[in-house]
Amino acid sequence: MGGRKTCRMVERTIRGRYPVCRNDASMTRLLLSFVLMLSCVWGIPSVSCAAEPAQKIARLGFVGSHKPSTAPRGVAVFWERLRELGWVKGENLGVEERWADGHVDRLPDLMSEIVRTKVDTIVTYNTAAAIAAKKATNTIPIVDAMMGDPVEAGLVASLAHPGGNLTGLSMGYGEGIPGKFLELLQDVVPSLSSVAVITLANFPTNPQILSALSSSARARRLKLRIIEVHNPESLGSAFEQASRQTQAACVLPNPMMMNYRERVTALAAKHRLPAIYGLPEFVDAGGLMAYSPDVAGMFRRAADYVDKILKGAKPGDLPIEQPTKFELVVNVKTAKALGVTIPEAILLRADEVIR
């Protein structure tokens, strides 16, 4: 029964049962207002109750570069933080998810597909995904949880004032992280003279990291061997080459390496090659060491950015944050298997030690 019809019936009932009200319009209105108030409390349809607007559901597009099972540990933290902020899947938040399964070349199509679903915001991580998102849309807000240098990649005007439709967090590779890779390898292998840098060919962050590594290597009198891989099948030959030409390896972070991290760490073990990685998940998979920004913290902050944008903030007005906290993770069990010793100084300052 409609609200207006209900109101007319209530008014007729009042006038019929209470004669004093028949010619007293003010009393009739008073009683009618009282009944309408009770109707809201008891769930009876009325004009005022029916006028309450339904809650708007925000729509979020999430594009991952890996498989859900091999994604960075920070992804779970992202969803947890959104719930803390009041955004709950299936209630006030609709989510469209897409995953590239470690294949960077799939990202452009996935981003275009997400754009066609007309989401309110796109969330992703790494520089290749940010580039794909920017090419797919210049209007939908984009939050990238862990990209390289977005200024160097041509994604934003500046870190402080991004402009446009993209914001998020940078991994800060220009802030000494590549040099730290070499420093830690030298601490573990004191006689180190050559290092293999194993990376995915043509990955957007390669130029920046390789430049920083080259500068640090010259200062440390180390020789670098750059070994590019094009697909998972070429990982075996890459590590075989590294073991013949160098004494240790630095495996740069990218979606393919991350997706196949168990194979990567197994190959390093097979060739008895001490290696350092750019994400802690490699150490969980048996790698020797990892040094990186606090990735979980970055994903948590990305959720804060999404919250602000869904509440009306413009991405171009939100500064891109640089990391302030870094993590060192070491695997003592792997060190013993490789025949190397992790210095006590490294163990004492490590954020996590796997024994």
Side-chain angles (χ1 to χ4, degrees), residues 1 82 144 147 224 248 264 274 279 327 342 352:
M1 185 180 297
L82 275 186
D144 193 303
M147 53 190 151
L224 296 184
V264 168
L279 289 172
E327 289 184 317
I342 305 291
E352 184 180 351

PDB file of all heavy atoms in Angstrom, residues 1 82 144 147 224 248 264 274 279 327 342 352:
ATOM      1  N   MET A   1       0.852  -1.199   0.000  1.00  0.00           N
ATOM      2  CA  MET A   1       0.000   0.000   0.000  1.00  0.00           C
ATOM      3  C   MET A   1       0.876   1.233   0.000  1.00  0.00           C
ATOM      4  O   MET A   1       1.808   1.338   0.790  1.00  0.00           O
ATOM      5  CB  MET A   1      -0.897  -0.021   1.239  1.00  0.00           C
ATOM      6  CG  MET A   1      -1.904   1.133   1.270  1.00  0.00           C
ATOM      7  SD  MET A   1      -2.911   1.040   2.763  1.00  0.00           S
ATOM      8  CE  MET A   1      -3.736  -0.514   2.486  1.00  0.00           C
ATOM      9  N   LEU A  82      40.520  -1.020   4.181  1.00  0.00           N
ATOM     10  CA  LEU A  82      39.266  -0.488   3.644  1.00  0.00           C
ATOM     11  C   LEU A  82      38.100  -0.829   4.569  1.00  0.00           C
ATOM     12  O   LEU A  82      37.210   0.006   4.798  1.00  0.00           O
ATOM     13  CB  LEU A  82      39.007  -1.036   2.246  1.00  0.00           C
ATOM     14  CG  LEU A  82      39.653  -0.308   1.060  1.00  0.00           C
ATOM     15  CD1 LEU A  82      39.167  -0.914  -0.244  1.00  0.00           C
ATOM     16  CD2 LEU A  82      39.367   1.186   1.077  1.00  0.00           C
ATOM     17  N   ASP A 144      47.942   3.859  -7.296  1.00  0.00           N
ATOM     18  CA  ASP A 144      48.948   2.804  -7.440  1.00  0.00           C
ATOM     19  C   ASP A 144      49.680   2.660  -6.115  1.00  0.00           C
ATOM     20  O   ASP A 144      50.266   3.614  -5.605  1.00  0.00           O
ATOM     21  CB  ASP A 144      49.937   3.141  -8.553  1.00  0.00           C
ATOM     22  CG  ASP A 144      50.791   1.936  -8.942  1.00  0.00           C
ATOM     23  OD1 ASP A 144      51.470   1.376  -8.050  1.00  0.00           O
ATOM     24  OD2 ASP A 144      50.795   1.557 -10.118  1.00  0.00           O
ATOM     25  N   MET A 147      54.522   1.915  -7.048  1.00  0.00           N
ATOM     26  CA  MET A 147      55.163   2.148  -8.343  1.00  0.00           C
ATOM     27  C   MET A 147      56.602   2.626  -8.148  1.00  0.00           C
ATOM     28  O   MET A 147      57.026   2.944  -7.039  1.00  0.00           O
ATOM     29  CB  MET A 147      54.365   3.160  -9.151  1.00  0.00           C
ATOM     30  CG  MET A 147      54.074   4.459  -8.438  1.00  0.00           C
ATOM     31  SD  MET A 147      52.887   5.476  -9.358  1.00  0.00           S
ATOM     32  CE  MET A 147      52.113   6.367  -8.004  1.00  0.00           C
ATOM     33  N   LEU A 224      79.187  -5.510 -12.746  1.00  0.00           N
ATOM     34  CA  LEU A 224      77.822  -5.965 -12.909  1.00  0.00           C
ATOM     35  C   LEU A 224      77.647  -6.694 -14.237  1.00  0.00           C
ATOM     36  O   LEU A 224      78.201  -6.285 -15.251  1.00  0.00           O
ATOM     37  CB  LEU A 224      76.844  -4.782 -12.862  1.00  0.00           C
ATOM     38  CG  LEU A 224      76.744  -3.990 -11.564  1.00  0.00           C
ATOM     39  CD1 LEU A 224      75.657  -2.923 -11.697  1.00  0.00           C
ATOM     40  CD2 LEU A 224      76.463  -4.882 -10.370  1.00  0.00           C
ATOM     41  N   ALA A 248      77.427 -13.652  -7.069  1.00  0.00           N
ATOM     42  CA  ALA A 248      76.157 -13.398  -6.374  1.00  0.00           C
ATOM     43  C   ALA A 248      75.188 -12.768  -7.354  1.00  0.00           C
ATOM     44  O   ALA A 248      75.571 -12.380  -8.468  1.00  0.00           O
ATOM     45  CB  ALA A 248      76.376 -12.486  -5.166  1.00  0.00           C
ATOM     46  N   VAL A 264      62.410 -19.185  -9.040  1.00  0.00           N
ATOM     47  CA  VAL A 264      63.572 -18.292  -8.990  1.00  0.00           C
ATOM     48  C   VAL A 264      64.490 -18.658  -7.827  1.00  0.00           C
ATOM     49  O   VAL A 264      65.709 -18.809  -7.993  1.00  0.00           O
ATOM     50  CB  VAL A 264      63.114 -16.824  -8.882  1.00  0.00           C
ATOM     51  CG1 VAL A 264      64.295 -15.921  -8.536  1.00  0.00           C
ATOM     52  CG2 VAL A 264      62.466 -16.371 -10.187  1.00  0.00           C
ATOM     53  N   PRO A 274      74.369 -16.902  -3.908  1.00  0.00           N
ATOM     54  CA  PRO A 274      73.763 -15.986  -2.933  1.00  0.00           C
ATOM     55  C   PRO A 274      73.045 -14.865  -3.690  1.00  0.00           C
ATOM     56  O   PRO A 274      73.626 -14.247  -4.580  1.00  0.00           O
ATOM     57  CB  PRO A 274      74.968 -15.441  -2.157  1.00  0.00           C
ATOM     58  CG  PRO A 274      76.053 -16.446  -2.372  1.00  0.00           C
ATOM     59  CD  PRO A 274      75.827 -16.979  -3.765  1.00  0.00           C
ATOM     60  N   LEU A 279      61.696  -7.886  -2.736  1.00  0.00           N
ATOM     61  CA  LEU A 279      60.452  -8.047  -1.980  1.00  0.00           C
ATOM     62  C   LEU A 279      60.614  -9.217  -1.001  1.00  0.00           C
ATOM     63  O   LEU A 279      61.239 -10.239  -1.334  1.00  0.00           O
ATOM     64  CB  LEU A 279      59.274  -8.324  -2.915  1.00  0.00           C
ATOM     65  CG  LEU A 279      58.807  -7.145  -3.793  1.00  0.00           C
ATOM     66  CD1 LEU A 279      57.779  -7.605  -4.811  1.00  0.00           C
ATOM     67  CD2 LEU A 279      58.238  -6.022  -2.930  1.00  0.00           C
ATOM     68  N   GLU A 327      62.343  -2.666   5.132  1.00  0.00           N
ATOM     69  CA  GLU A 327      62.403  -3.985   5.766  1.00  0.00           C
ATOM     70  C   GLU A 327      63.591  -4.782   5.255  1.00  0.00           C
ATOM     71  O   GLU A 327      63.853  -4.823   4.050  1.00  0.00           O
ATOM     72  CB  GLU A 327      61.129  -4.777   5.464  1.00  0.00           C
ATOM     73  CG  GLU A 327      59.880  -4.277   6.161  1.00  0.00           C
ATOM     74  CD  GLU A 327      58.692  -5.185   5.884  1.00  0.00           C
ATOM     75  OE1 GLU A 327      58.525  -5.590   4.721  1.00  0.00           O
ATOM     76  OE2 GLU A 327      57.958  -5.475   6.826  1.00  0.00           O
ATOM     77  N   ILE A 342      75.660 -15.230   7.590  1.00  0.00           N
ATOM     78  CA  ILE A 342      75.029 -13.919   7.749  1.00  0.00           C
ATOM     79  C   ILE A 342      75.687 -13.235   8.942  1.00  0.00           C
ATOM     80  O   ILE A 342      75.607 -13.737  10.070  1.00  0.00           O
ATOM     81  CB  ILE A 342      73.517 -14.035   7.995  1.00  0.00           C
ATOM     82  CG1 ILE A 342      72.839 -14.838   6.887  1.00  0.00           C
ATOM     83  CG2 ILE A 342      72.898 -12.645   8.142  1.00  0.00           C
ATOM     84  CD1 ILE A 342      72.798 -14.153   5.553  1.00  0.00           C
ATOM     85  N   GLU A 352      63.085  -9.340  10.109  1.00  0.00           N
ATOM     86  CA  GLU A 352      62.592 -10.726  10.201  1.00  0.00           C
ATOM     87  C   GLU A 352      63.730 -11.679   9.863  1.00  0.00           C
ATOM     88  O   GLU A 352      64.450 -11.462   8.889  1.00  0.00           O
ATOM     89  CB  GLU A 352      61.415 -10.941   9.239  1.00  0.00           C
ATOM     90  CG  GLU A 352      60.777 -12.307   9.318  1.00  0.00           C
ATOM     91  CD  GLU A 352      59.625 -12.483   8.346  1.00  0.00           C
ATOM     92  OE1 GLU A 352      59.209 -11.465   7.721  1.00  0.00           O
ATOM     93  OE2 GLU A 352      59.138 -13.612   8.198  1.00  0.00           O
TER      94      GLU A 352
END
